Amino acid sequence: MGRTLILMELDGRRVKRSSLHAVGFARRLGGDYVLLVIGHHLAEAATSLVGYGAETVLTADDPALAEPLADRYAQVVVEAARASRADVIVAAASTFSKDILPRAAALLDAAMLTDVVGLEPRDGQTVFNRPINAGSRIATVALEGPVRVLTVRASAFPVPDQAPAESPMGRLAVEADALPAGTRFVSRQQRTSTRPDLGEARVVVAGGRPLKDAATFEKLIGGLADVLGAAVGSTRAAVDAGMASNDLQIGQTGRVIAADLYIAAGISGSIQHLAGVKDCRVIVAINKDPEAPLVKAATYSLIGDLFQAVPELTEALKKRT
Amino acid sequence: MKILVTFKSVPENGAAEANTRVINPFDAIAVEEALRLRERGEAAEVAAVTIGEPAVEEQCRAALAMGADRCIRIDDARPLDPYAVARILKAVVDRESPGMVLMGKQAVDDDCGQTGQMLAGLLGWPQATFASRIALAAGRETAECTRETDAGLEVIEVRLPAVFTADLRLNEPRYVSLPGLVKARKKPIEVLTCAQLGVDARPRTALLAVAAPPQRAGGAVVASVDELVLKLREEAKVI
Ligand SMILES: Cc1cc2nc3c(=O)[nH]c(=O)nc-3n(C[C@H](O)[C@H](O)[C@H](O)COP(=O)(O)OP(=O)(O)OC[C@H]3O[C@@H](n4cnc5c(N)ncnc54)[C@H](O)[C@@H]3O)c2cc1C
Ligand SMILES: Nc1ncnc2c1ncn2[C@@H]1O[C@H](COP(=O)(O)O)[C@@H](O)[C@H]1O
């Protein structure tokens, strides 16, 4: 049995919940696993991870790693993989892991799979399932090599239960001067919203092109989301029109969600959008067109004008609570 | 400065059953960005490169018609994976010595989103992925780049040469014009093989099977907001 190195992702000083789903993947794969946290001031994050049955919780803590710059982080991942003799390297799929892991894979002379949603034994080896063609087909793929690198879809693997035994902590020595210096962090536009993150929300409310402008979008979609404690999402059309910020785009080329409840108002359901919402348990479409693809894919559809239906739904749900 | 821009020929919308092939949309954005940099006087030449069978020359012509100065096609009909593509592209970069490589953030047929980062790793160059703005500094030694991340917009500065991957909002690619197409016919497409480049790029992934994903059960139309709330509460038990 081999060893998996799991790259954890941080949200400030905390570990993102999606990263724990990657631990669920490692458990299914078998063998033991090492959790790697890269950054600066990592005590809180590392401590939160000791109950997940890892061989080691490994930290690479240095001021030079305060921001997730791919060239530096990829080098640290490579050093951690070598130090821990991992033959599989994995992380939950996100813009963070998709920036870093392919680069680390190339440095390790390894091929890689993106967005793995399943695994199965075949002819004595483990092969992997992943969506292709905008989610319209699921491929079964073999990945060869002494080192294999993957990102996995968080929603496809459960967060494991915590174990009573505590994993030991380890530190990976970081030589700041030996890190690549070709990239400099300049700034980040801090997200100010207090709403849940799209990738982790149980309920998501999204709006599309007919929402007109940012204020209307916020009033209707934001208003409905808030009575449900939901995350807000949107389509490419709404983002391009400036109604919603870029990180709210759901779909093949944006965020993939797997909410219990997804409510889509004024969204046609293009192949690209559908690719990001197929795994939601219950889908509600509010659309004036009964022929819209999202109406066909939805669990429940309300055919009508969203400018009427959305405020009405918001009010009805307010009364409920 | 020379810009190398990569493009892949993909079925329209990345759909397996599509019979029209196009330049991967993110690569069209990369080509557009390269052209704009040249038009602003930041770059002297835009060379476009693709790896594929002879049929992808239709997309080579499209890239030339958009305005690329020349095209290189690496003749290879094997089903390649991103790491194989990155190794081939590395050899092309070594041969061309561009100041920037512009690529798409993902190919919409395989949705891997790996190749640019792998190429940057192989070259030991900085990378700026998911770019929605690229601004070269005076002197062209660095570029400032805005990136679209799950957490919002991030700005980084990279030293050149570097690899950039385009996100949707980097620009709106121009349409191919008729005069552009006419001109494209006279522009060169150089054909090379992996053997000529001296790269062994055997793929390390193998596609064993494809299947349809689980289908969603057909839905129900509700007549009113009240009925919807009732269904969500009593039947689906999600609120
Ligand atoms: C390379 C590429 C990548 C892409 N990636 C993504 C992606 O990741 N995510 C994504 O979402 N899109 C993506 N797209 C865009 C996608 O193709 C569609 O254009 C987009 O999803 C459409 O957004 P929409 O549903 O908001 O708008 P439309 O398709 O215009 O749909 C609007 C819907 O609203 C309904 N409507 C209008 N008025 C009302 C009203 N008053 N009340 C109720 N209903 C109303 C209409 O019937 C229609 O169904 C991508 C496209 C490309 C080319
Ligand atoms: N066969 C190819 N030829 C040229 N460029 C490619 C090829 N495959 C991938 N690329 C480039 O790599 C990017 C990312 O592809 P992928 O990693 O497959 O999602 C694409 O947008 C292209 O710019």
Side-chain angles (χ1 to χ4, degrees):
Chain A
M1 271 293 153
R3 173 169 295 165
T4 302
L5 178 72
I6 311 174
L7 173 64
M8 310 304 282
E9 179 172 358
L10 299 177
D11 181 5
R13 300 224 168 145
R14 297 227 169 111
V15 173
K16 277 200 167 177
R17 194 169 164 77
S18 56
S19 291
L20 300 176
H21 291 266
V23 180
F25 168 85
R27 287 253 181 114
R28 269 200 57 197
L29 186 64
D32 56 40
Y33 48 90
V34 170
L35 307 184
L36 172 65
V37 194
I38 308 176
H40 191 37
H41 299 303
L42 299 177
E44 180 185 343
T47 312
S48 76
L49 291 171
V50 295
Y52 289 100
E55 191 66 18
T56 318
V57 175
L58 192 60
T59 53
D61 192 326
D62 195 275
L65 299 170
E67 297 295 340
L69 299 174
D71 49 3
R72 295 182 191 184
Y73 273 45
Q75 184 168 315
V76 173
V77 169
V78 168
E79 284 165 17
R82 289 193 177 129
S84 60
R85 292 201 207 86
D87 54 5
V88 175
I89 302 169
V90 68
S94 67
T95 53
F96 167 82
S97 62
K98 288 181 177 179
D99 190 32
I100 297 160
L101 286 195
R103 184 176 179 110
L107 297 176
L108 288 162
D109 190 26
M112 174 173 176
L113 298 178
T114 300
D115 276 329
V116 168
V117 296
L119 59 161
E120 56 188 79
R122 185 177 289 213
D123 304 332
Q125 61 165 341
T126 303
V127 298
F128 302 95
N129 308 113
R130 58 176 305 268
I132 54 170
N133 302 119
S136 65
R137 303 197 304 168
I138 304 289
T140 303
V141 196
L143 177 60
E144 66 172 72
V147 180
R148 297 183 291 173
V149 184
L150 314 113
T151 60
V152 299
R153 263 205 194 153
S155 57
F157 303 95
V159 173
D161 292 334
Q162 297 221 39
E166 287 200 358
S167 309
M169 303 245 203
R171 279 187 76 104
L172 190 75
V174 179
E175 237 191 282
D177 292 342
L179 290 171
T183 315
R184 191 173 66 83
F185 174 80
V186 177
S187 64
R188 176 171 299 113
Q189 188 185 62
Q190 219 50 45
R191 209 186 19 203
T192 48
S193 169
T194 54
R195 291 182 184 129
D197 181 75
L198 264 179
E200 302 183 1
R202 204 186 62 79
V203 180
V204 175
V205 179
R209 194 191 310 268
L211 269 305
K212 286 191 196 118
D213 53 45
T216 316
F217 187 95
E218 172 52 30
K219 185 158 156 263
L220 268 75
I221 302 304
L224 177 55
D226 288 344
V227 292
L228 289 162
V232 167
S234 70
T235 63
R236 178 188 177 184
V239 173
D240 285 358
M243 293 177 223
S245 68
N246 308 22
D247 50 306
L248 298 188
Q249 178 179 313
I250 298 171
Q252 180 194 12
T253 61
R255 307 291 296 274
V256 174
I257 63 168
D260 272 349
L261 172 61
Y262 175 53
I263 303 179
I267 294 180
S268 60
S270 62
I271 174 176
Q272 293 93 353
H273 188 76
L274 282 174
V277 303
K278 274 192 185 136
D279 292 332
C280 294
R281 187 162 76 79
V282 174
I283 298 182
V284 172
I286 301 174
N287 199 308
K288 62 180 186 189
D289 175 10
E291 300 301 321
L294 195 63
V295 170
K296 305 274 184 218
T299 324
Y300 305 113
S301 308
L302 187 62
I303 306 304
D305 184 2
L306 75 89
F307 292 99
Q308 238 174 337
V310 171
E312 208 183 305
L313 180 58
T314 307
E315 283 310 309
L317 292 169
K318 259 191 207 155
K319 271 190 229 130
R320 173 195 63 128
T321 47
Chain B
M1 178 174 63
K2 182 198 292 183
I3 297 178
L4 188 70
V5 56
T6 64
F7 66 96
K8 183 181 185 186
S9 161
V10 298
E12 196 159 33
N13 283 329
E17 65 281 0
N19 37 33
T20 336
R21 294 191 73 87
V22 296
I23 294 179
N24 177 43
F26 289 98
D27 298 340
I29 295 171
V31 172
E32 176 67 35
E33 195 65 16
L35 298 178
R36 289 185 191 187
L37 285 163
R38 190 192 60 197
E39 285 158 5
R40 283 205 296 270
E42 304 274 22
E45 188 189 24
V46 174
V49 57
T50 191
I51 304 159
E53 56 193 351
V56 309
E57 289 203 359
E58 198 184 329
Q59 282 68 57
C60 297
R61 291 289 166 209
L64 293 170
M66 280 180 76
D69 297 299
R70 61 193 174 87
C71 188
I72 306 162
R73 179 174 70 82
I74 314 304
D75 186 47
D76 201 322
R78 293 173 299 170
L80 297 172
D81 56 27
Y83 188 48
V85 172
R87 280 174 288 162
I88 298 170
L89 291 175
K90 158 90 167 47
V92 176
V93 170
D94 288 344
R95 196 168 167 267
E96 294 283 334
S97 307
M100 298 171 83
V101 179
L102 287 175
M103 306 174 68
K105 81 159 177 177
Q106 84 195 57
V108 298
D109 51 353
D110 66 21
D111 284 336
C112 286
Q114 301 170 13
T115 311
Q117 299 86 310
M118 287 177 158
L119 176 61
L122 292 176
L123 290 163
W125 289 7
Q127 69 189 49
T129 53
F130 325 135
S132 62
R133 184 184 62 99
I134 298 170
L136 293 189
R140 296 196 274 275
E141 277 172 8
T142 61
E144 197 179 84
C145 185
T146 303
R147 306 178 54 233
E148 293 196 9
T149 75
D150 293 345
L153 298 178
E154 178 188 289
V155 181
I156 60 171
E157 185 190 79
V158 291
R159 202 179 288 152
L160 299 184
V163 174
F164 300 80
T165 76
D167 213 320
L168 286 174
R169 278 158 286 270
L170 182 58
N171 60 51
E172 180 100 38
R174 68 196 61 186
Y175 287 106
V176 167
S177 67
L178 201 57
L181 270 173
V182 173
K183 259 200 211 151
R185 271 190 230 130
K186 297 199 193 86
K187 293 182 185 172
I189 300 177
E190 183 183 5
V191 181
L192 295 168
T193 61
C194 286
Q196 283 170 312
L197 287 168
V199 276
D200 163 38
R202 197 177 58 80
R204 309 237 184 105
T205 66
L207 181 63
L208 304 174
V210 281
Q215 288 303 304
R216 295 191 67 91
V221 172
V222 295
S224 67
V225 164
D226 288 343
E227 189 189 341
L228 176 62
V229 173
L230 193 73
K231 292 267 196 202
L232 292 177
R233 188 178 303 149
E234 307 292 333
E235 195 175 81
K237 299 191 167 55
V238 275
I239 56 169

